[in-house]
Amino acid sequence: MSKKVKSLPKDFLWGGATADFQYEGGFNEGGRGILSHDYETDGSQAHPRHHTMRLSDGQLINPKSSFILAEDIPDDAKPVFLDDQYYPSHQAVDFYHHYKEDIKLMAGMGFNVFRFSVCWSRIFPTGEETEPNMAGLKFYDDVINEMAKYNMEPLITICHDEMPMNLAIKYNGWTSRYVIDAYVKYAQTLFDYFGDRCRYWLTFNEINAVRGFGPTGVRQATGHDRYLAAHNMFVASAKAVSLGHKMIPESQFGAMYAMSELYPATCKPEDMFHHMQARRENWYFIDIMGRGYYPSYAEEIWQHHGFNKLEIAPEDLATLNAGQLDYIAFSYYRSNTTKDGDEWFNVGGSANPYLDETPWGWPVDPLGLRYCMNEIYDRIQKPIFIVENGMGAIDQADDQDYVEDDYRIDYLQQHLSAMADAINIDHVPCLGYTMWAPIDLVSLSTGEMKKRYGFVYVDMDDQGQGSLKRTPKKSYQWMKQVIATNGATLTDN
Ligand code: BGP
């Protein structure tokens, strides 16, 4: 088969993406406050992660770190650290003390952008202070200045599935409008301190997942609370976008969506119709934030989740309209299938007989990425940014900690090639690609270390033991070539 040129736009942003509580560590350093993820244990596919909490009568409870909805958590439950428990966010892989080394490694691959999230409780330890924690600001200042030495620009996620624990406990997280104000104060502080060096911002990570207690601080599992929390996040995002545009004239704002593709399991009309409804669970979030208004199908979604109406103040609608996103960012790891009778909010779904799976059962579907890019652009007509894509795999390191990760090269080759086709053939405007995650870090869903994504191996096990030494894998050199040629070394799938 003839090889098509895959070259990409000359200002294309190439880089990697991380999240503070999976990467940074330093949880009790520099005046950082307790974050909602700090009480989250390690886990595995068989043993879901959970939070450690104690009721007022002393009883311990372990609410699951549910992917979609919080379990009901009693009002008197308070988080507690247990001596016999490992909490991965505390050390993570210690970017806090390795940032110079890690940034140098990323620069060595030719990255011109690095997506990281600021830890909210490092800047406002309880979320309620009137003045920011200067030591926290200094850490990110140092990180950004270090990146500037290599001409690498930041893509800052303001809130990556987290909040200061105090806001979760005291206000029931995002169900409270107080949290909107706390978020806007926090965002304003970031614009103030880093706006002179940061063009690209993400207001929230995977906002459409509106996950359980850790990320949203919401104690109840009702559908109404979930959509109320989402509404308050939309308002907070829109306020931050309007403010950011005023404070930083060159700024570009996106929010990030978990947009793995969704297919109907069959062409049976009922499956097709069900697929349309299930896909709207994602579109709801993109439509509201990307177009600035609630879509006509919103009521149907609310009713499906057990309530008739969300009361929305007219001034909120004006805020949403004024604070529309400039670009649509998304994560893409896999595709899912769905059929009539499945949950609408669908992660996983029925098996797809046409696709192979990763060791964690995630179907590998590069063409789904091209499909997804087209689907979003057709609908919203704003540039897109792929801010997470990668393969979680079990790496076997040799005695020099070197990993021959041909499977990762294969995965990335296929996905980047599909991305290039969406850009070159379908003419989807795409600002850049940040691979998850350039340096091995802790898995969000399972809390494991052995689910590795990186171009760089980190010597650490599932319990946080190891030297933390960084060693480039085979994929490091491969990616370096892809970036150096701006995609020209990619081949057809
Ligand atoms: C996304 C999150 C990331 C990240 C990634 C991989 O949902 O935004 O934080 O972790 O998925 O998932 P996991 O770590 O569970 O393999």
Side-chain angles (χ1 to χ4, degrees), residues 17-22 49 67 115 160-161 205-206 209 211 256-258 331-333 360 362 387-393 436-437 441-448 451-453:
T18 61
D20 56 282
F21 60 92
Q22 297 170 261
R49 308 183 74 178
F67 216 65
R115 174 186 172 219
H160 192 117
D161 303 7
N205 182 68
E206 293 194 345
R211 297 191 175 103
M256 192 276 226
Y257 302 89
S331 62
Y332 179 90
Y333 290 92
W360 274 265
W362 291 18
V387 296
E388 280 185 34
N389 170 242
M391 183 192 190
W436 184 271
L441 42 63
V442 177
S443 157
L444 171 78
S445 55
T446 66
E448 292 166 305
K451 189 180 187 187
R452 294 174 183 270
Y453 284 88

Side-chain angles (χ1 to χ4, degrees), residues 18 62 72 77-78 89 140 165 171 173 177 193 226-227 242 276 285 331 355 438 468:
T18 61
N62 294 319
D72 276 323
K78 295 275 180 296
S89 73
Y140 296 108
M165 189 52 127
Y171 296 98
R177 290 191 73 94
Y193 282 84
R226 175 174 186 258
Y227 285 89
S242 296
M276 180 191 73
F285 293 81
S331 62
L355 300 175
L468 299 176

